[in-house]
Amino acid sequence: KLILKTLPPKYQTTAEILLQNYTDTDWIKDALRKGLIVCGNTGDGKSSLLNYLISYCLQADPETELTIIDPDYGSSHNDGPPNTWMGLPVGRVVFIDEEVGARIFVEAAREVVRRSKQTSEAFANGATRKPYFKSRLIVVDEALEVLQSNFETSDEDMDFDKANSRILFRGLKQKVRAIWGVQSLLCKQLNLDETQISQVNIILLGNAAYNKQNLTKLGLTGAKADEAIAQLKTVRKMPGCEYACLARIDGEISVRAL
């Protein structure tokens, strides 16, 4: 409303369209209904958005058990402040060692399996509702460093690739949510095939959203990719837009802003 009051009348309609179509935050809730990948290069606002998503989830459910895995802890862009994840304690909430992070991630996947079995057994024994499970949120920034770690599990039924799949695609049913932060959708270390990529929600920030190879992963090629880039550039120039992104949520691709 403050923006609208300061703009000349002939521009107010444009501003109203911007505020209605691009800057609502309902889409954040929708984005979190599946496993989520946030893709952005250095300086694109990836860490800022991840911090925002963490705050959003904790406000929705303050009892959530939070784990952050960040091998690049304390980094900053240019002269900006270091990202210390709102000062959350290292070693209890934030983990900076790749191998430790990988172990935590695999253990979370085992928890998904345990909860799934408990749910099945409860209903088999006549229960009418699912057992209570505490929500877990696992945020992995610079996820490729974790994926590339030399960690090896002795559990043949739960290697790191299986753990990734368990949490991204089955975790939410058992109240275990995962958010990946990456710089590209192209790296083989993600180990997600085209079908799996289509099943997760994805947010492309800044320069990552202009990368046509990333757009191809979303199914945008040729004129459709050019149109998406042009719309993204337009939104980034609009008043009040701090970050503009390309979001694919439940298969639908749109330009959003915060």
Side-chain angles (χ1 to χ4, degrees), residues 59-127:
Q59 287 177 8
D61 185 356
E63 298 300 316
T64 296
E65 180 183 345
L66 172 64
T67 300
I68 300 170
I69 303 169
D70 181 12
D72 206 18
Y73 177 83
S75 63
S76 62
H77 177 60
N78 293 332
D79 295 327
N83 178 27
T84 58
W85 301 103
M86 299 172 282
L88 292 167
V90 175
R92 284 176 29 196
V93 176
V94 183
F95 299 87
I96 62 179
D97 181 86
E98 297 97 325
E99 185 170 330
V100 172
R103 290 182 184 278
I104 291 171
F105 198 78
V106 170
E107 179 53 38
R110 293 193 183 106
E111 179 66 19
V112 170
V113 174
R114 285 193 293 268
R115 291 183 178 189
S116 179
K117 289 181 178 179
Q118 291 174 25
T119 300
S120 297
E121 290 171 358
F123 282 113
N125 291 326

Side-chain angles (χ1 to χ4, degrees), residues 7-254:
L7 289 176
K10 68 177 180 178
Y11 293 116
Q12 288 186 10
T13 300
T14 301
E16 288 169 350
I17 293 174
L18 166 65
L19 293 175
Q20 180 178 356
N21 292 342
Y22 296 111
T23 60
D24 69 272
T25 56
D26 290 344
W27 67 278
I28 294 291
K29 182 178 179 180
D30 295 334
L32 290 167
R33 286 177 177 161
K34 290 184 178 180
L36 178 62
I37 297 176
V38 177
C39 181
N41 298 332
T42 301
D44 283 342
K46 175 164 56 68
S47 295
S48 296
L49 180 56
L50 290 174
N51 274 284
Y52 176 85
L53 293 171
I54 290 169
S55 298
Y56 187 97
C57 291
L58 293 180
Q59 287 177 8
D61 185 356
E63 298 300 316
T64 296
E65 180 183 345
L66 172 64
T67 300
I68 300 170
I69 303 169
D70 181 12
D72 206 18
Y73 177 83
S75 63
S76 62
H77 177 60
N78 293 332
D79 295 327
N83 178 27
T84 58
W85 301 103
M86 299 172 282
L88 292 167
V90 175
R92 284 176 29 196
V93 176
V94 183
F95 299 87
I96 62 179
D97 181 86
E98 297 97 325
E99 185 170 330
V100 172
R103 290 182 184 278
I104 291 171
F105 198 78
V106 170
E107 179 53 38
R110 293 193 183 106
E111 179 66 19
V112 170
V113 174
R114 285 193 293 268
R115 291 183 178 189
S116 179
K117 289 181 178 179
Q118 291 174 25
T119 300
S120 297
E121 290 171 358
F123 282 113
N125 291 326
T128 58
R129 62 178 61 183
K130 291 180 64 173
Y132 170 78
F133 298 123
K134 189 174 184 178
S135 297
R136 289 196 65 181
L137 172 61
I138 303 173
V139 177
V140 188
D141 197 9
E142 302 302 336
L144 293 181
E145 293 189 33
V146 177
L147 287 165
Q148 291 170 342
S149 70
N150 294 322
F151 166 70
E152 293 183 5
T153 174
S154 58
D155 186 350
E156 294 181 358
D157 294 327
M158 189 62 71
D159 60 22
F160 196 88
D161 291 338
K162 289 179 181 178
N164 186 21
S165 179
R166 285 279 195 282
I167 294 179
L168 279 178
F169 303 114
R170 294 178 55 189
L172 277 177
K173 291 183 178 179
Q174 308 305 331
K175 298 185 73 172
V176 179
R177 184 192 311 279
I179 303 175
W180 286 95
V182 301
Q183 294 196 17
S184 173
L185 298 178
L186 305 176
C187 296
K188 293 181 180 179
Q189 289 84 357
L190 281 175
N191 203 30
L192 298 176
D193 59 32
E194 299 299 325
T195 300
Q196 291 174 318
I197 283 285
S198 70
Q199 293 173 349
V200 297
N201 289 333
I202 296 174
I203 297 175
L204 295 178
L205 289 165
N207 292 322
Y210 297 143
N211 186 318
K212 290 194 175 182
Q213 290 179 308
N214 283 334
L215 297 183
T216 298
K217 286 286 187 179
L218 301 189
L220 292 177
T221 59
K224 290 184 177 180
D226 293 336
E227 181 181 352
I229 290 173
Q231 187 178 9
L232 188 67
K233 289 180 177 179
T234 299
V235 172
R236 290 186 74 175
K237 295 177 182 178
M238 289 183 173
C241 176
E242 185 73 20
Y243 296 103
C245 65
L246 197 64
R248 190 192 66 192
I249 302 172
D250 292 330
E252 182 178 340
I253 300 173
S254 60

